Amino acid sequence: MRSEKTTSSDAGPAVATLVVMRLYVADSAPNSLKAIANLEAICKEYLQDNFELEIIDVLEFPQRALADGVLVTPSLAKVSPSPAAKIVGDLSDRRNVLQVLGIRE
Amino acid sequence: MSATQSGPLERKFSVPDTGRAAGRAAHVAGERVANGRILRLVKSGPERQALDSGQVDAVLDPASGNAFLLPDARRALFSAGGRIANCLLAALPRKAYQSLLGELEPVTLTSGEVLHKPGERIWHVYFPNDSQVSLLMVVADRKALEVGLVGREGMVGIPLALGADVSSVLALVQGSGSALRMKAASFREALGRCLPLQHEVYRYAHAKLVQARQIAACNRFHLAQARLACCLLLTRDRLRSNQFHLTHEVLADTLGIRRVGVTNAAGALQRRKLISYRRGDIRILNPKGLKAASCGCYEIVRKLAL
């Protein structure tokens, strides 16, 4: 099972509002690991501690992913702030990820 | 991510995933059913684009409520038992390893494939998982002698870590299998920022240097039969299997002798019932006996490099 939650709100964020995300992965498959690494780097650089990320392993929780309308992994869903948005793939296209998360470069 | 590949879809989705555990994903009876289902699920949109550019690991099926791993992901997860198969990478702290993941690309190496040529620029470094790469010195008259062997314990492309970007050896895939590769520029950059990687690569470079010295002495002083036994034992250790395929030609290059010399040495080991050898298919029948028949270099190289 792999369902992690990272939450913090004390440190000075680069983005004012708390960004809540869910990353759907398939265990430690190559693209999933890349997506985690790429997202971690983006969070560190742009969001500092002002984010909430839940990593969901679809091999353990497929129903959870289906309920959220996820069809492939890796997929990243931005839950808040609205509007909700989704991006699929290994998140190597940083500009696209930032756009989906509503972060200015 | 938006690039569309023209490769055949049948190949990409041809193997139905039966899941990492029987209960996790429903068994799909036939390829056509699996193909049809997966293709129907991701007919268009960003999911389809990600699929076509090879950035997807698994597809979810709302009808059955299961997740289906794609072949590449399944291979990566299960061929290595879910662990990091390359020992050099596995020795890194988890955070250091994760910081490299964005740059590492899974590849399949095929026997006979040339990774680096002598005198030519190194474009990628390779971290073998279950593949094996022979490092050969090629002399003017096209004769070759093996000066190193790389398997899951190490990497191919050490000169880059030592400030050279040109290979001095022919890096030839000897045993097909999977590996992770990294672009030369990314490797240099990673070496600069990731001290644990630097430490592991330098430690490995030293082991390879000692191994090359040992091979030089071994080639000069030990008999072909003992050297063949040593070579087979080292191959067994790297591949973790008592059965593998090595042609006469490869063994001749490895030992720096003629093919007839390989025939004689292999025949002698076969008569002693230590190995069976038929058209390159080698089976070690008696590892203890083979160890006794090998030269002392086996233990030295094994301790240093494996």
Side-chain angles (χ1 to χ4, degrees):
Chain A
M1 165 173 170
R2 203 149 69 88
S3 178
E4 301 167 1
K5 212 161 193 174
T6 309
T7 319
S8 180
S9 56
D10 295 337
V15 171
T17 48
L18 183 80
V19 178
V20 181
M21 297 166 285
R22 287 188 199 131
L23 180 62
Y24 299 88
V25 297
D27 198 60
S28 54
N31 287 308
S32 296
L33 289 177
K34 278 186 191 175
I36 293 171
N38 287 329
L39 186 60
E40 270 185 357
I42 289 170
C43 288
K44 195 174 172 185
E45 187 171 342
Y46 293 95
L47 299 175
Q48 295 175 15
D49 286 335
N50 201 26
F51 69 92
E52 195 177 295
L53 171 65
E54 192 176 5
I55 299 175
I56 298 155
D57 183 355
V58 302
L59 300 180
E60 296 285 345
F61 307 106
Q63 295 297 345
R64 176 90 194 271
L66 286 165
D68 290 341
V70 170
L71 286 180
V72 300
T73 66
S75 281
L76 174 69
K78 184 188 77 167
V79 181
S80 75
S82 59
K86 199 167 70 180
I87 181 169
V88 295
D90 64 9
L91 309 183
S92 54
D93 187 345
R94 179 174 276 222
R95 184 174 289 182
N96 204 3
V97 178
L98 292 176
Q99 194 183 344
V100 166
L101 294 178
I103 300 169
R104 280 187 198 167
E105 276 189 81
Chain B
M1 211 152 71
S2 58
T4 304
Q5 284 184 348
S6 57
L9 292 170
E10 288 297 313
R11 188 181 59 78
K12 206 162 200 170
F13 306 120
S14 61
V15 187
D17 172 56
T18 52
R20 60 209 290 246
R24 185 164 291 152
H27 178 72
V28 181
E31 283 186 10
R32 194 173 292 172
V33 177
N35 287 346
R37 182 176 291 170
I38 290 174
L39 288 172
R40 203 165 52 242
L41 284 171
V42 289
K43 203 159 62 177
S44 59
E47 285 88 356
R48 180 77 218 185
Q49 287 178 348
L51 258 173
D52 287 342
S53 57
Q55 293 190 19
V56 169
D57 291 325
V59 179
L60 288 123
D61 177 13
S64 67
N66 290 312
F68 292 89
L69 278 171
L70 294 187
D72 284 348
R74 189 176 56 249
R75 260 194 299 275
L77 282 177
F78 306 125
S79 66
R83 298 188 304 275
I84 307 163
N86 181 276
C87 301
L88 198 150
L89 293 176
L92 299 176
R94 191 174 172 78
K95 279 227 160 190
Y97 174 66
Q98 282 181 337
S99 74
L100 302 175
L101 280 173
E103 314 293 342
L104 288 167
E105 176 192 1
V107 288
T108 301
L109 304 181
T110 314
S111 189
E113 191 180 340
V114 174
L115 305 183
H116 299 152
K117 280 184 182 170
E120 290 192 7
R121 190 159 179 181
I122 298 172
W123 294 104
H124 291 95
V125 296
Y126 295 81
F127 299 91
N129 291 328
D130 52 357
S131 50
Q132 191 165 245
V133 180
S134 183
L135 307 179
L136 300 159
M137 273 310 283
V138 183
V139 288
D141 55 354
R142 288 174 172 250
K143 278 184 181 170
L145 174 67
E146 186 179 84
V147 290
L149 195 60
V150 183
R152 67 176 71 234
E153 83 291 347
M155 62 168 285
V156 182
I158 282 294
L160 279 177
L162 304 175
D165 57 5
V166 171
S167 177
S168 60
V169 294
L170 176 74
L172 183 74
V173 179
Q174 196 185 82
S176 301
S178 65
L180 293 169
R181 80 172 181 185
M182 191 187 279
K183 284 181 183 162
S186 305
F187 175 69
R188 278 197 163 144
E189 191 267 325
L191 211 62
R193 72 175 148 79
C194 183
L195 282 179
L197 176 69
Q198 198 181 88
H199 176 81
E200 281 304 316
V201 169
Y202 287 164
R203 183 197 57 73
Y204 178 68
H206 174 254
K208 292 309 278 185
L209 179 66
V210 176
Q211 187 187 353
R213 287 171 179 164
Q214 193 69 35
I215 288 173
C218 183
N219 285 344
R220 173 68 181 82
F221 294 115
H222 295 147
L223 296 175
Q225 194 186 130
R227 286 165 52 209
L228 176 63
C230 174
C231 165
L232 297 180
L233 286 167
L234 288 171
T235 303
R236 177 194 75 140
D237 293 347
R238 284 190 173 89
L239 298 177
R240 294 178 186 171
S241 169
N242 278 322
Q243 285 184 70
F244 42 86
H245 187 86
L246 284 178
T247 62
H248 260 63
E249 194 176 1
V250 168
L251 284 170
D253 284 348
T254 302
L255 301 172
I257 57 178
R258 294 192 302 164
R259 288 189 204 183
V260 66
V262 175
T263 308
N264 292 339
L269 293 175
Q270 199 156 221
R271 280 193 295 279
R272 293 167 68 182
K273 295 192 176 4
L274 301 177
I275 63 165
S276 72
Y277 185 66
R278 191 182 167 83
R279 293 188 178 180
D281 289 325
I282 295 169
R283 192 169 173 187
I284 295 178
L285 305 172
N286 180 354
K288 271 192 179 176
L290 194 62
K291 200 172 157 185
S294 76
C295 56
C297 298
Y298 165 64
E299 275 301 332
I300 296 168
V301 173
R302 188 180 68 84
K303 279 179 189 163
L304 272 167
L306 296 179

